[in-house]
Amino acid sequence: MKIQSVFALVALAVGAVPVFAQPGPIAPPAGSTVAVPPTTAGKAVPGSVDKLSWLTGCWLAVSDVGLGDSREVWLAPIAGTMLGMGQTIRADRTLGWEAMRLYNDGDTVKAWIRPGARNEFTMVMERLEDGLVSFALTEGDTTTRVSYQRRSPTAMTASFRLIRGDASPRGQEFAFKREDCGPWTGATAK
């Protein structure tokens, strides 16, 4: 199974390169329970990026078969915004990247995503609980959903779902571990 940045997979909904396609069934990590998601995006729920501060930091999901690792970096919330970036790497080669922005919009949060050279799009926050957030976008008969769930201070899961019409949902689960940001940024501790 390929591991790539969650938001890179979102690019499937907007016509991404076929290398990111995941034709198989959803395979959740051990101990995870995955319910079949609704076929349309939910209504926007109240919240702010300050409630998502647990995403802050550097995260790594390592492929169990060496096909590519996913890195995500999230800056702490400030001025109603969290900025993030993702990179998919394999054998010292970048396979994909994305820029991300979570931002307050009225009394909810939206996720702006720019997957590589693809067109940007915006998803609405449809669920917010302690340590859990879900964003979704429905266009025509296709719903794209991205969720993050904190498992511990050093672990989180992320899931991607693509639901087209009456077809079974496709997607992927990612098991991220918190990493020291120093080696990723070239920063050295003083």
Side-chain angles (χ1 to χ4, degrees), residues 116-131:
R118 302 288 177 208
N119 291 332
E120 63 207 40
F121 58 97
T122 301
M123 304 171 86
V124 67
M125 183 173 68
E126 64 174 1
R127 186 173 174 196
L128 176 63
E129 298 174 15
D130 185 32

Side-chain angles (χ1 to χ4, degrees), residues 3-73:
I3 297 290
Q4 52 266 72
S5 296
V6 174
F7 286 112
L9 285 173
V10 171
L12 284 171
V14 291
V17 178
V19 71
F20 292 119
Q22 296 295 321
I26 298 165
S32 161
T33 57
V34 177
V36 175
T39 58
T40 59
K43 293 181 181 178
V45 298
S48 87
V49 293
D50 293 331
K51 302 251 183 213
L52 304 177
S53 63
W54 54 270
L55 282 169
T56 301
C58 295
W59 299 91
L60 177 65
V62 177
S63 169
D64 56 353
V65 291
L67 294 178
D69 299 335
S70 178
R71 303 187 323 166
E72 286 194 13
V73 178

Side-chain angles (χ1 to χ4, degrees), residues 57-122:
C58 295
W59 299 91
L60 177 65
V62 177
S63 169
D64 56 353
V65 291
L67 294 178
D69 299 335
S70 178
R71 303 187 323 166
E72 286 194 13
V73 178
W74 287 99
L75 299 180
I78 188 166
T81 303
M82 286 183 75
L83 298 177
M85 61 79 58
Q87 181 183 28
T88 304
I89 54 175
R90 179 177 61 201
D92 295 327
R93 183 173 169 230
T94 296
L95 300 178
W97 61 271
E98 59 277 334
M100 304 166 290
R101 177 173 68 114
L102 305 180
Y103 62 96
N104 293 338
D105 185 46
D107 70 345
T108 192
V109 176
K110 290 190 176 176
W112 173 90
I113 299 134
R114 172 76 189 266
R118 302 288 177 208
N119 291 332
E120 63 207 40
F121 58 97
T122 301

Side-chain angles (χ1 to χ4, degrees), residues 1 24-29 34 161 171-174:
M1 172 186 293
I26 298 165
V34 177
R161 299 285 180 270
Q172 192 167 2
E173 299 282 326
F174 302 86

Side-chain angles (χ1 to χ4, degrees), residues 140-163:
D141 71 342
T142 302
T143 296
T144 305
R145 182 170 283 112
V146 174
S147 301
Y148 288 94
Q149 185 169 13
R150 179 180 51 206
R151 298 293 181 185
S152 75
T154 60
M156 73 172 173
T157 55
S159 68
F160 161 79
R161 299 285 180 270
L162 181 64
I163 306 143

